[in-house]
Amino acid sequence: MNLFAEIRVLVIDCLDALVADGRLPAGLETGAVTVEPPRDAAHGDMATNAAMVLAKPAGLKPRDIADALAGLLADDPRITVAEVAGPGFLNLRLAADVWQGIVRAALAADGFGRATMGQGQKVNVEYVSANPTGPLHVGHTRGAVFGDALASLLDFAGWDVTREYYINDGGAQVDVLARSVYLRYLEAHGQAVSFPDGTYPGDYLIDTGKALKAKAGDAYVGQPEDVWLEEVREFATDAMMALIRDDLAALGVTMDKFYSEKSLYGTGLIEAAIADLDSKGLIYKGTLEPPKGKMPEDWEPREQTLFKSTEFGDDVDRPIMKSDGAWTYFAPDIAYHFDKVQRGYDQLIDVFGADHGGYVKRMKAAVAALSGGKVPLDIKLTQLVKLFKNGEPFKMSKRAGTFITVRDVVDAVGKDVTRFHMLTRKNDAPLDFDFDKVTEQSKDNPVFYVQYAHARIASVLRKATEEGIAVDDATLAEADLTGLTHAAELKVAQKIAEFPRLVEIAARTNEPHRIAFYLYEMASEFHALWNRGNDDTSLRFLQSGDSSATQSKIALIRAVAVVISSGLGILGVTPAEEMR
């Protein structure tokens, strides 16, 4: 039940009535007409911009349209006040029974706030996709949480979602991994080893080296690289992916599909993707201009095979094959996305780290070319996470073997705290993760404040049950809610009403952080109502001797719990039943 959408339908119906009555010209485009919460709650419950956006095409003054529209809106029983403000803004106040109905709807609906805007369209969300060279570090955590929450949000809003991880196992980094594991293998055989620059000296490979010894015995000891590289590479990659899967599980992330880059080589898939572009006249041989900042004497022009990415908004055409006939890094990425298009997705979303910002235009150009512009690609960049503890920042470096892993963070503060805090900023804004602040019990800690609200409600429900009051949703949905008329109670119901609208906005913009922001606001309204009950006994949830009043108030806070639980579910966070 999206109340804002329902009132917008009423506004459009009233505009149609004005057209039928000859007070507005026919053929007006109403797509830009909105109904939303006013910037200042003192102005009303909702506001519409209808008069402002239609004035110019209608050839009328905004206030004249607003006055006529207000008269018709006021005739609807849901509207108690339709007030024109300023040059033509229209503020609305709704009847108390409308907000009481929201409470009832939240309790009666199976999945209050769920949307159908996705209409079952298939969307592929690719995220994490870290190189399989070690366990996930905290830099991967944000992308993992953001991508997973986005996938859940889109599912909640009606899309058919596939969560996908692209395994970068086709490049030189897995050869480096194999050589590093081989050194640990020799170490497991009692040899003294040193790690050359460019290898991975992390202790996390010690067990992998021992496991390789258990599997292969001494078969690779003293053997040249060409004897063991391929087999050790596969063994090491599998071992690292097992670590990564465990890390994802600890974070509450489950992928639907793992796609191997290696599967693109020697299978004709890269060739097929490039052939598709070539058939569209988008592949040619040419020489690029020297990169910015390069002096001519530092750069040697050479002919390469290029993709006409500039025809799709890129800054320069991109090489897909080097002069020696080897594929560039871009070629398998094109093939991978060609495969996604071929799998029939209606929409693609890639979640990249901030260091991949330069890849956005070329990747969008490739998908636009491969799909004939029919499959949109949205690329979301996640900015860096800075860790703080005891006032000192943590440093990360996988090559040095000293880095903070996903598991370190989850073990320190828990999955739920980690996930929620990673969504307290928009994905492209830097994020500070302070181990002390994310676990403190205060209003300044959003995850605590939201969980505390849910736990408080759970405690009231338990106490009501002990007193013999039915608190199941079916009973509460049928309760007499007419006593919910206090402004503080209606304010809570109004915030509940915003949830379905917020879900649609967050899904439309691919911004799950909006859910976290909303939950903090919802919790704030609930805590404010709780505190009002300390001074005004009529606002307390348990009304001694009045089971009907108690049930209506419990219905209100149970509706709050429904929304908080749904929102936390989207974020992948388990609602707290009690605080410990």
Side-chain angles (χ1 to χ4, degrees), residues 315-546:
D315 299 323
V316 296
D317 290 342
R318 302 292 178 175
I320 51 97
M321 181 181 283
K322 302 174 186 176
S323 55
D324 62 2
W327 297 116
T328 64
Y329 288 119
F330 188 34
D333 289 334
I334 292 174
Y336 173 46
H337 285 78
F338 183 56
D339 183 77
K340 289 183 184 180
V341 171
Q342 294 293 98
R343 281 187 265 157
Y345 289 106
D346 300 295
Q347 181 182 352
L348 305 179
I349 300 173
D350 290 349
V351 179
F352 291 166
D355 57 339
H356 283 68
Y359 234 60
V360 173
K361 287 186 177 181
R362 74 187 70 178
M363 211 64 258
K364 286 190 170 187
V367 171
L370 292 166
S371 69
K374 295 179 181 178
V375 180
L377 168 65
D378 187 14
I379 297 179
K380 311 297 285 189
L381 301 178
T382 55
Q383 275 289 348
L384 298 176
V385 177
K386 294 181 180 179
L387 291 181
F388 292 88
K389 188 173 179 63
N390 298 325
E392 296 295 326
F394 280 157
K395 300 293 184 181
M396 295 182 304
S397 173
K398 182 176 293 189
R399 290 188 182 278
T402 56
F403 58 92
I404 306 302
T405 66
V406 165
R407 192 62 65 90
D408 292 330
V409 176
V410 172
D411 287 348
V413 301
K415 168 185 78 73
D416 292 334
V417 169
T418 301
R419 288 187 66 116
F420 194 103
H421 192 74
M422 289 290 170
L423 294 162
T424 55
R425 295 288 185 275
K426 190 178 178 183
N427 58 283
D428 58 3
L431 177 73
D432 291 345
F433 192 101
D434 189 308
F435 283 92
D436 298 319
K437 290 184 178 179
V438 300
T439 54
E440 71 180 16
Q441 297 188 353
S442 76
K443 183 179 179 180
D444 295 330
N445 180 7
V447 61
F448 166 79
Y449 206 53
V450 172
Q451 291 283 38
Y452 188 34
H454 193 274
R456 271 182 156 179
I457 294 169
S459 71
V460 173
L461 296 180
R462 287 193 294 269
K463 190 169 183 180
T465 300
E466 292 171 1
E467 296 182 6
I469 299 171
V471 297
D472 61 283
D473 289 351
T475 300
L476 294 176
E478 297 299 323
D480 179 6
L481 304 181
T482 56
L484 295 176
T485 57
H486 193 284
E489 294 171 327
L490 295 181
K491 196 172 182 183
V492 170
Q494 289 163 4
K495 182 56 67 174
I496 293 172
E498 291 181 22
F499 184 58
R501 172 180 177 270
L502 191 279
V503 166
E504 293 188 6
I505 293 173
R508 189 178 301 116
T509 56
N510 292 334
E511 294 179 344
H513 74 278
R514 291 175 180 264
I515 302 295
F517 287 13
Y518 166 82
L519 290 177
Y520 183 79
E521 294 171 0
M522 181 76 262
S524 296
E525 295 296 348
F526 166 77
H527 289 305
L529 178 60
W530 177 291
N531 293 335
R532 289 286 292 271
N534 292 331
D535 300 321
D536 185 345
T537 57
S538 70
L539 291 177
R540 293 178 182 175
F541 307 129
L542 300 177
Q543 295 288 311
S544 180
D546 192 342

Side-chain angles (χ1 to χ4, degrees), residues 8 11-12 15 24-25 27-36 47-66 69 85 87-90:
R8 184 182 182 278
V11 170
I12 299 300
L15 291 171
L24 277 180
L28 293 175
E29 173 55 54
T30 59
V33 172
T34 63
V35 172
E36 55 192 12
T48 178
N49 64 351
M52 299 299 292
V53 299
L54 296 179
K56 187 174 181 179
L60 297 170
K61 294 179 180 179
R63 193 171 182 95
D64 291 343
I65 297 176
L69 183 57
F89 296 105
L90 188 52

Side-chain angles (χ1 to χ4, degrees), residues 100-174:
Q100 295 158 7
I102 286 292
V103 173
R104 202 178 306 282
L107 295 170
D110 181 15
F112 178 73
R114 279 192 175 275
T116 58
M117 60 187 293
Q119 299 181 327
Q121 291 186 82
K122 293 177 63 178
V123 59
N124 181 293
V125 184
E126 181 215 330
Y127 55 109
V128 190
S129 298
N131 290 338
T133 54
L136 299 179
H137 62 61
V138 71
H140 299 122
T141 310
R142 193 175 187 186
V145 171
F146 172 81
D148 203 51
L150 175 56
S152 295
L153 170 62
L154 294 174
D155 176 79
F156 198 78
W159 272 268
D160 179 4
V161 182
T162 297
R163 295 166 162 87
E164 188 154 315
Y165 186 117
Y166 181 60
I167 306 172
N168 292 279
D169 56 358
Q173 72 276 2
V174 288

Side-chain angles (χ1 to χ4, degrees), residues 242-319:
L243 278 179
I244 287 171
R245 283 183 171 91
D246 288 346
D247 288 344
L248 291 174
L251 200 56
V253 175
T254 302
M255 294 290 177
D256 297 314
K257 184 176 180 63
F258 287 86
Y259 192 106
S260 167
E261 177 191 356
K262 191 170 59 176
S263 69
L264 296 169
Y265 292 93
T267 57
L269 293 175
I270 296 177
E271 290 80 1
I274 302 307
D276 180 83
L277 295 176
D278 193 25
S279 70
K280 297 170 181 174
L282 298 173
I283 301 295
Y284 71 101
K285 290 189 179 294
T287 302
L288 293 175
E289 294 292 321
K292 291 181 179 179
K294 291 281 188 181
M295 297 298 292
E297 60 267 21
D298 298 330
W299 177 81
E300 181 180 343
R302 61 190 183 281
E303 187 178 69
Q304 300 178 88
T305 303
L306 304 170
F307 161 51
K308 294 182 181 178
S309 56
T310 51
E311 292 194 8
F312 300 90
D314 200 1
D315 299 323
V316 296
D317 290 342
R318 302 292 178 175

Side-chain angles (χ1 to χ4, degrees), residues 187-209:
E187 186 178 58
H189 278 283
Q191 295 189 23
V193 298
S194 61
F195 288 84
D197 288 344
T199 55
Y200 303 125
D203 290 347
Y204 63 88
L205 292 181
I206 293 175
D207 288 342
T208 310

